[in-house]
Amino acid sequence: QVQLVESGGGLVQVAGSLRLACEASGLTFSSSTMGWFRRPPGKEREFVATITWSGGSTSYADSVKGRFTASRDDAKNTVYLQMNSLKPEDTAVYYCAAGITFLPVAHMERVGRYDYWGQGTQVTVSS
């Protein structure tokens, strides 16, 4: 049984930082592409970042480039999302996802490319 468990969300002030973590179990983590998505209040789920199975390639949504960084520790089966310079519009439920099909990183910005999802963690940025 595959499980993805996010942690690290919370309430932070504008310009602050948070680091989200997602620990995976039940899958071959080292060969999975890991993604981060978010659902802002009243909106659809949207792509945030992805990091390939080797950690060699990453991709980010334009809205977070230069502020967010995805990384992974295969020894811990964990993927991270470091979020800096947070803005009120970053407020959302953040989800991690695992994709087990080998695809170029550019293909991994779609929700449908992922096979497993976590339950989400709330991030609230107050102004």
Side-chain angles (χ1 to χ4, degrees):
Q1 179 180 352
V2 176
Q3 284 194 316
L4 303 177
V5 180
E6 301 99 335
S7 61
L11 176 64
V12 64
Q13 292 188 333
V14 169
S17 297
L18 280 176
R19 188 175 81 154
L20 305 183
C22 171
E23 184 174 3
S25 61
L27 78 167
T28 306
F29 182 81
S30 59
S31 60
S32 301
T33 292
M34 301 302 294
W36 286 99
F37 289 75
R38 66 187 182 187
R39 187 191 299 274
K43 297 184 179 181
E44 297 293 316
R45 191 173 303 197
E46 63 185 28
F47 169 74
V48 175
T50 189
I51 181 166
T52 59
W53 60 275
S54 65
S57 294
T58 54
S59 179
Y60 298 92
D62 288 343
S63 59
V64 307
K65 280 181 183 176
R67 300 188 299 123
F68 290 12
T69 303
S71 62
R72 62 191 295 158
D73 184 339
D74 288 352
K76 296 181 178 180
N77 283 5
T78 300
V79 62
Y80 303 97
L81 185 68
Q82 178 66 44
M83 306 187 295
N84 298 328
S85 303
L86 283 162
K87 305 174 181 180
E89 52 264 44
D90 294 318
T91 294
V93 178
Y94 283 73
Y95 301 88
C96 74
I100 61 175
T101 303
F102 293 128
L103 291 170
V105 66
H107 289 242
M108 300 306 292
E109 298 180 5
R110 298 183 179 182
V111 169
R113 299 298 189 186
Y114 294 85
D115 303 282
Y116 304 102
W117 292 83
Q119 81 290 347
T121 186
Q122 177 71 47
V123 171
T124 302
V125 184
S126 65
S127 57

